[in-house]
């Protein structure tokens, strides 16, 4: 077997440090040590970054509720119609008026219920979701202008 080759030098790089730091390690021993670079100066914003903003969580919650209300309105009625068709055939075949069974009436009501679901979706969008989205959009525009102004003065 050949002896193993250890390319690391046998000396220490600093007090108590036995491994080289690749940021300050010099390639040649005669090079002067490189001074550590100061960390870049970052100005902290007056408000949290847009990705962590609480308005985004509120917007996601409002949008989630908007989808749930509209979906459960349409699908809930359709599911009720299917359950009544399967479990209560006597009720579905009973006549409401002359020649109009209850099942057909409930099937015809499904179209207005779908329109109601669409109306609820539009109502919640206009009342809750859109104002939040507009506020976040305006704040993002202000942030973008502020950032472009800071970059222009920093040069």
């Amino acid at each position: 077997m050949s002896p193993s080759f250890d390319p690391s030098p046998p000396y220490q790089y600093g007090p108590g440090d036995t491994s080289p730091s690749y940021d300050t390690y010099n390639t040649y021993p005669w090079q002067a040590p490189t001074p550590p670079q100061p960390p870049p100066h970052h100005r902290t914003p007056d408000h949290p970054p847009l990705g962590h903003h609480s308005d985004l969580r509120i917007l996601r919650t409002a949008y989630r509720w908007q989808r749930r209300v509209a979906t459960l309105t349409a699908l809930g009625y359709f599911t009720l119609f299917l359950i009544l068709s399967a479990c209560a055939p006597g009720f579905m075949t009973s006549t409401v008026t002359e020649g109009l069974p209850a099942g057909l009436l409930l099937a015809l009501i499904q179209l207005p219920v779908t329109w109601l679901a669409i109306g609820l979706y539009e109502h919640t969008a206009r009342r809750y979701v859109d104002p939040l989205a507009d506020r976040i959009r305006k704040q993002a525009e202000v942030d973008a202008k502020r950032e472009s102004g800071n970059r222009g003065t920093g040069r």
Side-chain angles (χ1 to χ4, degrees), residues 47-56 136-137 139-141 143:
H47 52 83
L50 193 58
H52 304 308
H53 207 274
S54 64
D55 283 345
L56 286 178
I136 291 172
R137 188 177 301 114
Q139 185 64 41
E141 289 171 0
D143 288 346

Side-chain angles (χ1 to χ4, degrees), residues 45-127:
D46 298 336
H47 52 83
L50 193 58
H52 304 308
H53 207 274
S54 64
D55 283 345
L56 286 178
R57 283 192 303 272
I58 295 169
L59 179 64
R60 281 192 297 265
T61 302
Y63 186 60
R64 189 178 305 124
W65 276 106
Q66 176 192 23
R67 289 185 318 233
R68 285 179 185 165
V69 166
T71 303
L72 289 178
T73 301
L75 289 179
Y77 183 81
F78 181 69
T79 304
L80 175 70
F81 177 74
L82 289 177
I83 290 172
L84 286 175
S85 296
C87 298
F91 171 73
M92 296 299 271
T93 56
S94 65
T95 57
V96 177
T97 61
E98 186 65 33
L100 181 65
L104 181 60
L105 179 65
L106 290 176
L108 292 174
I109 291 175
Q110 190 167 0
L111 186 62
V113 168
T114 304
W115 289 340
L116 174 69
I118 293 169
L120 280 171
Y121 190 86
E122 290 290 322
H123 172 74
T124 56
R126 269 189 241 110
R127 183 155 185 195

